[in-house]
Amino acid sequence: MKPWIAVLLAACIPFAVQANEGGESKEGPPKVVYYSLSPPLVGNYAMDGGPRLHVYKADIALKVTGDEAVAAVKHHEPLIRNLLVQLFNQQSQDAMSSGEAKEALRQEALKQTQQVINAEEGKPVVEDLLFNNLIVQ
């Protein structure tokens, strides 16, 4: 081996080690993920005994941060879906008709989702719940 190549390689090795170490330590903060519950929730609500059937379709996303939180939400998705279906089925026609009422429903859905996931995981996971689309008839 030529002596100048050995010198050049010896000079580059410390920079290669620093670059590798720097890449591992500069991972950055965890990314925010909006996990969509798929397929959308579809069901009946306000069964008041009348002839008219009331139907909803809710496309819901959960805001979580980090891969661990995404994995927890995926794992508990059946529990979350069941909770939300029960909540929607209990709503009245008035609770699904106005923008303010839908926002109150969103807040209640968030609160209940956070409570059930916190009970299962022992720590906060879901930061927010969003209605990407909420259709009621």
Side-chain angles (χ1 to χ4, degrees):
M1 181 192 265
K2 297 192 181 206
W4 61 272
I5 293 177
V7 171
L8 183 63
L9 287 175
C12 291
I13 289 174
F15 294 112
V17 171
Q18 277 183 334
N20 188 24
E21 289 173 357
E24 291 174 2
S25 65
K26 294 182 181 179
E27 198 170 290
K31 290 187 178 182
V32 171
V33 175
Y34 293 93
Y35 181 82
S36 293
L37 299 180
S38 185
L41 302 175
V42 178
N44 300 324
Y45 72 99
M47 300 304 293
D48 55 6
R52 185 150 187 244
L53 182 65
H54 302 288
V55 180
Y56 70 88
K57 177 183 176 189
D59 185 10
I60 297 173
L62 302 174
K63 180 183 174 185
V64 297
T65 301
D67 295 335
E68 187 178 319
V70 172
V73 168
K74 283 181 183 179
H75 179 73
H76 296 293
E77 184 173 351
L79 181 62
I80 295 168
R81 292 178 70 82
N82 180 61
L83 170 84
L84 294 173
V85 166
Q86 289 178 359
L87 178 64
F88 276 89
N89 288 346
Q90 296 170 357
Q91 301 307 305
S92 67
Q93 176 104 21
D94 294 336
M96 300 285 265
S97 60
S98 71
E100 296 84 22
K102 288 178 183 177
E103 176 59 20
L105 176 61
R106 187 189 74 79
Q107 291 290 333
E108 183 62 25
L110 171 62
K111 180 180 134 192
Q112 288 189 20
T113 301
Q114 286 175 330
Q115 286 175 348
V116 75
I117 292 299
N118 290 355
E120 292 294 320
E121 289 293 314
K123 61 183 175 182
V125 174
V126 177
E127 298 170 23
D128 204 357
L129 182 143
L130 307 168
F131 291 152
N132 292 333
N133 198 1
L134 179 59
I135 300 170
V136 294
Q137 291 183 332

